[in-house]
Amino acid sequence: MSDDTILPELREPLRRTDVSLPRWLIRAALRVMPVPRDPEVRVRAVRVGPMRLRIYLPARRGIGPGLLWVHGGGLLFGAATQDESLCLSTAKRLGIVIVSVDYRLAPEHPFPAAHDDVLAAWHWFLAHADELHVDPTRIAVGGESAGAGLAAGVAQRLHDDGGTQPVAQWLFAPMLDDRTAADRSLDARRHAVWDNEKNRAGWGAYLGAEPGTLTPPRYAAPGRATDVAGLPAAFLTWTDTELFADENRAYADALDAAGVPVHVDLVVGGAHGFENWAKHTPVAQALIGRAQEWLGAAVR
């Protein structure tokens, strides 16, 4: 893939984006990364067992909606603070309380650690809905990349377990299917930000096995689900240039075929995660605006 396939406004931010650094260095950099502030959104941190939750409390009155958010990072790295801008703007614009999960990472913590952490965060959110002034029937789940895949897997788990369900899924370029990593024909293509070599490392660390060689545990690779009927309405966005395009389209099609309302937002000329690392560009701001508009309607 050449720069010609990427929108001009994204090319300079893309040149400054590098996830090929050693895992320990990316993790260390995220711990000291400065985060923005907004006087209209109060942020507090809570530790729950092995995980940390970052809670965004907008200035509002009365009971309102909520969002359980899950950060990306290929299942290998990442932190809730990397999505601070998105969480602040979403909380402020929609008056929505957001609980963002710092889940355990592979390879130190393979499946089901991250899945269990996100599931536990959901139940913590429900248990604390009254004090957070959140209507538990109006909580969505969402995430970016690996986090969106975790959110999708937890939505499937909650459907099967019963009880209070998410009202919607808000998924940005979800990492859904380990079989993509097993397709060696994709290795020769230059996928910006997240290529198939990195994808194979992430899935292999998470599953503890070579991706695509065995049927993974249920909910580990939500794109493999054979029955997605009854899941919450979904917003899915991805770009035409990225590694996950085919698996994202397949999941959207499966949801649609099962009767799940699904809204697809395909960004032509984008690159994986651009709404994060190029968040100030017009194309990213436009996507975030459309996504927030959909989410606001979904949790109303």
Short mmCIF file of all heavy atoms in Angstrom, two decimals, residues 239-274:
data_model
loop_
_atom_site.label_atom_id
_atom_site.label_comp_id
_atom_site.label_asym_id
_atom_site.label_seq_id
_atom_site.Cartn_x
_atom_site.Cartn_y
_atom_site.Cartn_z
N THR A 239 -11.97 1.26 7.69
CA THR A 239 -11.50 1.93 6.50
C THR A 239 -11.26 0.91 5.38
O THR A 239 -11.07 -0.28 5.65
CB THR A 239 -10.19 2.70 6.75
OG1 THR A 239 -9.09 1.77 6.81
CG2 THR A 239 -10.25 3.48 8.06
N ASP A 240 -11.25 1.41 4.16
CA ASP A 240 -11.08 0.50 3.02
C ASP A 240 -9.66 -0.01 2.88
O ASP A 240 -9.42 -0.98 2.16
CB ASP A 240 -11.52 1.19 1.72
CG ASP A 240 -10.66 2.39 1.37
OD1 ASP A 240 -10.17 3.08 2.30
OD2 ASP A 240 -10.48 2.66 0.17
N THR A 241 -8.69 0.61 3.57
CA THR A 241 -7.29 0.24 3.38
C THR A 241 -6.77 -0.72 4.44
O THR A 241 -5.63 -1.16 4.35
CB THR A 241 -6.39 1.49 3.40
OG1 THR A 241 -6.36 2.01 4.73
CG2 THR A 241 -6.89 2.54 2.43
N GLU A 242 -7.55 -1.02 5.45
CA GLU A 242 -6.98 -1.70 6.60
C GLU A 242 -7.13 -3.21 6.57
O GLU A 242 -7.95 -3.77 5.84
CB GLU A 242 -7.56 -1.13 7.87
CG GLU A 242 -9.01 -1.46 8.13
CD GLU A 242 -9.43 -0.89 9.46
OE1 GLU A 242 -8.98 -1.44 10.46
OE2 GLU A 242 -10.17 0.10 9.50
N LEU A 243 -6.34 -3.86 7.40
CA LEU A 243 -6.30 -5.31 7.49
C LEU A 243 -7.64 -5.90 7.88
O LEU A 243 -8.01 -6.98 7.43
CB LEU A 243 -5.23 -5.71 8.51
CG LEU A 243 -5.02 -7.19 8.78
CD1 LEU A 243 -4.49 -7.89 7.53
CD2 LEU A 243 -4.07 -7.40 9.96
N PHE A 244 -8.39 -5.21 8.72
CA PHE A 244 -9.64 -5.78 9.25
C PHE A 244 -10.85 -5.55 8.35
O PHE A 244 -11.97 -5.89 8.73
CB PHE A 244 -9.93 -5.18 10.63
CG PHE A 244 -8.91 -5.50 11.69
CD1 PHE A 244 -8.70 -4.64 12.75
CD2 PHE A 244 -8.16 -6.66 11.62
CE1 PHE A 244 -7.77 -4.92 13.72
CE2 PHE A 244 -7.21 -6.96 12.59
CZ PHE A 244 -7.01 -6.09 13.65
N ALA A 245 -10.66 -4.96 7.17
CA ALA A 245 -11.81 -4.60 6.34
C ALA A 245 -12.70 -5.80 6.03
O ALA A 245 -13.93 -5.72 6.16
CB ALA A 245 -11.33 -3.93 5.05
N ASP A 246 -12.11 -6.92 5.61
CA ASP A 246 -12.93 -8.06 5.22
C ASP A 246 -13.65 -8.68 6.41
O ASP A 246 -14.83 -9.03 6.33
CB ASP A 246 -12.06 -9.12 4.52
CG ASP A 246 -11.63 -8.69 3.13
OD1 ASP A 246 -12.22 -7.73 2.58
OD2 ASP A 246 -10.70 -9.31 2.58
N GLU A 247 -12.95 -8.82 7.54
CA GLU A 247 -13.61 -9.44 8.70
C GLU A 247 -14.67 -8.51 9.29
O GLU A 247 -15.69 -8.97 9.82
CB GLU A 247 -12.59 -9.87 9.77
CG GLU A 247 -11.84 -8.76 10.45
CD GLU A 247 -10.77 -9.29 11.40
OE1 GLU A 247 -9.75 -9.84 10.92
OE2 GLU A 247 -10.96 -9.14 12.62
N ASN A 248 -14.46 -7.20 9.20
CA ASN A 248 -15.47 -6.26 9.68
C ASN A 248 -16.71 -6.31 8.81
O ASN A 248 -17.85 -6.31 9.29
CB ASN A 248 -14.90 -4.85 9.72
CG ASN A 248 -13.92 -4.61 10.85
OD1 ASN A 248 -13.45 -3.49 11.02
ND2 ASN A 248 -13.60 -5.62 11.62
N ARG A 249 -16.52 -6.35 7.49
CA ARG A 249 -17.65 -6.46 6.58
C ARG A 249 -18.39 -7.77 6.81
O ARG A 249 -19.63 -7.80 6.83
CB ARG A 249 -17.16 -6.37 5.12
CG ARG A 249 -18.20 -6.72 4.08
CD ARG A 249 -19.46 -5.87 4.17
NE ARG A 249 -19.20 -4.48 3.77
CZ ARG A 249 -20.11 -3.52 3.86
NH1 ARG A 249 -21.32 -3.79 4.33
NH2 ARG A 249 -19.80 -2.28 3.50
N ALA A 250 -17.67 -8.86 7.01
CA ALA A 250 -18.31 -10.15 7.24
C ALA A 250 -19.16 -10.11 8.51
O ALA A 250 -20.27 -10.68 8.54
CB ALA A 250 -17.26 -11.26 7.32
N TYR A 251 -18.65 -9.46 9.56
CA TYR A 251 -19.41 -9.41 10.81
C TYR A 251 -20.65 -8.52 10.65
O TYR A 251 -21.73 -8.87 11.13
CB TYR A 251 -18.54 -8.89 11.94
CG TYR A 251 -19.10 -9.18 13.32
CD1 TYR A 251 -19.33 -10.50 13.72
CD2 TYR A 251 -19.41 -8.17 14.21
CE1 TYR A 251 -19.85 -10.79 14.98
CE2 TYR A 251 -19.94 -8.45 15.47
CZ TYR A 251 -20.15 -9.77 15.84
OH TYR A 251 -20.67 -10.05 17.10
N ALA A 252 -20.50 -7.41 9.97
CA ALA A 252 -21.66 -6.54 9.71
C ALA A 252 -22.71 -7.29 8.91
O ALA A 252 -23.92 -7.20 9.20
CB ALA A 252 -21.22 -5.29 8.97
N ASP A 253 -22.28 -8.04 7.91
CA ASP A 253 -23.22 -8.81 7.10
C ASP A 253 -23.91 -9.89 7.93
O ASP A 253 -25.12 -10.15 7.76
CB ASP A 253 -22.50 -9.45 5.91
CG ASP A 253 -22.08 -8.44 4.85
OD1 ASP A 253 -22.57 -7.29 4.90
OD2 ASP A 253 -21.26 -8.81 3.98
N ALA A 254 -23.17 -10.54 8.82
CA ALA A 254 -23.75 -11.58 9.67
C ALA A 254 -24.80 -10.99 10.61
O ALA A 254 -25.87 -11.58 10.81
CB ALA A 254 -22.66 -12.29 10.46
N LEU A 255 -24.49 -9.83 11.20
CA LEU A 255 -25.45 -9.17 12.06
C LEU A 255 -26.72 -8.82 11.28
O LEU A 255 -27.84 -9.07 11.73
CB LEU A 255 -24.85 -7.92 12.67
CG LEU A 255 -23.75 -8.12 13.71
CD1 LEU A 255 -23.10 -6.77 14.05
CD2 LEU A 255 -24.27 -8.78 14.98
N ASP A 256 -26.53 -8.25 10.11
CA ASP A 256 -27.66 -7.85 9.29
C ASP A 256 -28.51 -9.07 8.90
O ASP A 256 -29.76 -9.02 8.97
CB ASP A 256 -27.16 -7.13 8.04
CG ASP A 256 -28.28 -6.64 7.16
OD1 ASP A 256 -29.07 -5.78 7.60
OD2 ASP A 256 -28.39 -7.12 6.01
N ALA A 257 -27.87 -10.16 8.50
CA ALA A 257 -28.60 -11.36 8.11
C ALA A 257 -29.38 -11.96 9.28
O ALA A 257 -30.41 -12.61 9.09
CB ALA A 257 -27.63 -12.40 7.55
N ALA A 258 -28.88 -11.72 10.51
CA ALA A 258 -29.54 -12.24 11.70
C ALA A 258 -30.63 -11.31 12.22
O ALA A 258 -31.25 -11.59 13.25
CB ALA A 258 -28.51 -12.49 12.80
N GLY A 259 -30.86 -10.21 11.52
CA GLY A 259 -31.91 -9.28 11.92
C GLY A 259 -31.48 -8.25 12.94
O GLY A 259 -32.32 -7.56 13.53
N VAL A 260 -30.17 -8.12 13.18
CA VAL A 260 -29.66 -7.12 14.11
C VAL A 260 -29.49 -5.80 13.35
O VAL A 260 -28.81 -5.77 12.33
CB VAL A 260 -28.30 -7.55 14.71
CG1 VAL A 260 -27.73 -6.46 15.61
CG2 VAL A 260 -28.45 -8.86 15.47
N PRO A 261 -30.10 -4.71 13.83
CA PRO A 261 -29.88 -3.42 13.16
C PRO A 261 -28.40 -3.06 13.18
O PRO A 261 -27.77 -3.05 14.25
CB PRO A 261 -30.71 -2.44 14.00
CG PRO A 261 -31.72 -3.29 14.70
CD PRO A 261 -31.03 -4.60 14.96
N VAL A 262 -27.83 -2.77 12.03
CA VAL A 262 -26.40 -2.46 11.95
C VAL A 262 -26.20 -1.26 11.03
O VAL A 262 -26.76 -1.21 9.94
CB VAL A 262 -25.58 -3.70 11.48
CG1 VAL A 262 -26.07 -4.23 10.16
CG2 VAL A 262 -24.10 -3.39 11.42
N HIS A 263 -25.40 -0.33 11.51
CA HIS A 263 -25.07 0.86 10.73
C HIS A 263 -23.58 0.79 10.40
O HIS A 263 -22.74 0.74 11.30
CB HIS A 263 -25.36 2.13 11.53
CG HIS A 263 -25.00 3.38 10.80
ND1 HIS A 263 -25.90 4.05 9.99
CD2 HIS A 263 -23.84 4.09 10.72
CE1 HIS A 263 -25.32 5.12 9.47
NE2 HIS A 263 -24.06 5.16 9.89
N VAL A 264 -23.27 0.78 9.11
CA VAL A 264 -21.88 0.71 8.65
C VAL A 264 -21.42 2.08 8.21
O VAL A 264 -22.11 2.77 7.45
CB VAL A 264 -21.75 -0.30 7.49
CG1 VAL A 264 -20.40 -0.17 6.80
CG2 VAL A 264 -21.96 -1.72 7.99
N ASP A 265 -20.23 2.48 8.67
CA ASP A 265 -19.62 3.74 8.25
C ASP A 265 -18.23 3.41 7.71
O ASP A 265 -17.27 3.25 8.47
CB ASP A 265 -19.54 4.70 9.43
CG ASP A 265 -19.20 6.13 9.01
OD1 ASP A 265 -18.25 6.30 8.21
OD2 ASP A 265 -19.88 7.06 9.47
N LEU A 266 -18.13 3.24 6.40
CA LEU A 266 -16.86 2.90 5.75
C LEU A 266 -16.15 4.18 5.33
O LEU A 266 -16.70 4.97 4.57
CB LEU A 266 -17.11 2.00 4.54
CG LEU A 266 -15.90 1.67 3.67
CD1 LEU A 266 -14.89 0.84 4.46
CD2 LEU A 266 -16.34 0.93 2.41
N VAL A 267 -14.93 4.37 5.83
CA VAL A 267 -14.17 5.58 5.51
C VAL A 267 -13.14 5.24 4.42
O VAL A 267 -12.19 4.50 4.67
CB VAL A 267 -13.46 6.14 6.76
CG1 VAL A 267 -12.68 7.40 6.40
CG2 VAL A 267 -14.49 6.44 7.85
N VAL A 268 -13.35 5.79 3.26
CA VAL A 268 -12.44 5.56 2.14
C VAL A 268 -11.22 6.47 2.29
O VAL A 268 -11.35 7.68 2.52
CB VAL A 268 -13.15 5.83 0.79
CG1 VAL A 268 -12.17 5.70 -0.37
CG2 VAL A 268 -14.33 4.89 0.63
N GLY A 269 -10.04 5.87 2.19
CA GLY A 269 -8.80 6.64 2.31
C GLY A 269 -8.33 6.83 3.74
O GLY A 269 -7.35 7.53 3.98
N GLY A 270 -9.02 6.21 4.69
CA GLY A 270 -8.56 6.26 6.08
C GLY A 270 -7.51 5.20 6.33
O GLY A 270 -7.09 4.48 5.42
N ALA A 271 -7.07 5.10 7.56
CA ALA A 271 -6.14 4.06 7.98
C ALA A 271 -6.51 3.64 9.39
O ALA A 271 -7.13 4.41 10.13
CB ALA A 271 -4.69 4.56 7.93
N HIS A 272 -6.13 2.45 9.75
CA HIS A 272 -6.57 1.86 11.01
C HIS A 272 -6.32 2.80 12.21
O HIS A 272 -5.21 3.24 12.43
CB HIS A 272 -5.86 0.54 11.25
CG HIS A 272 -6.32 -0.17 12.48
ND1 HIS A 272 -7.56 -0.77 12.57
CD2 HIS A 272 -5.72 -0.38 13.68
CE1 HIS A 272 -7.69 -1.31 13.77
NE2 HIS A 272 -6.60 -1.09 14.46
N GLY A 273 -7.39 3.07 12.95
CA GLY A 273 -7.27 3.87 14.17
C GLY A 273 -7.07 5.35 13.95
O GLY A 273 -6.73 6.07 14.89
N PHE A 274 -7.31 5.85 12.73
CA PHE A 274 -7.01 7.26 12.46
C PHE A 274 -7.82 8.21 13.32
O PHE A 274 -7.39 9.34 13.58
CB PHE A 274 -7.24 7.58 10.97
CG PHE A 274 -8.69 7.69 10.58
CD1 PHE A 274 -9.32 8.93 10.56
CD2 PHE A 274 -9.44 6.57 10.25
CE1 PHE A 274 -10.65 9.04 10.21
CE2 PHE A 274 -10.77 6.67 9.90
CZ PHE A 274 -11.39 7.91 9.89
#
